[in-house]
Amino acid sequence: MQLEVETEVGVRVRVHPALCEGWGNCHRFGGEVYPLDADGHVDLHLLDVPAELAAQARLGASACPEHAITIINPDR
């Protein structure tokens, strides 16, 4: 019997700047993925995230109370 091992793959992150209220939760839980500007708002619009940071990207996005971040999973 052979087990399938799921490996992490990179993701694409899309930030919706008009929705960002500057809570900083994305940075708190995904600091390597989500930089903040001087006003505390996420400072990116579209980013390809490598596999080693994909879990951090998902966690940071899920922590956003305004749902200003969308994770786009690649086609498998």
Side-chain angles (χ1 to χ4, degrees):
M1 183 168 138
Q2 197 173 34
L3 296 175
E4 285 188 36
V5 177
E6 189 171 317
T7 58
E8 189 70 71
V9 295
V11 296
R12 180 169 274 192
V13 171
R14 181 177 306 275
V15 177
H16 312 280
L19 298 176
C20 180
E21 294 285 326
W23 292 96
N25 289 343
C26 59
H27 181 74
R28 187 173 298 117
F29 295 104
E32 292 181 78
V33 178
Y34 302 107
L36 301 180
D37 65 14
D39 296 321
H41 292 88
V42 67
D43 194 24
L44 60 94
H45 296 277
L46 186 63
L47 177 70
D48 288 316
V49 178
E52 59 271 12
L53 296 176
Q56 194 177 130
R58 287 187 188 94
L59 182 58
S62 69
C64 178
E66 304 302 329
H67 306 289
I69 302 170
T70 301
I71 300 293
I72 304 166
N73 291 309
D75 294 334
R76 292 188 181 194

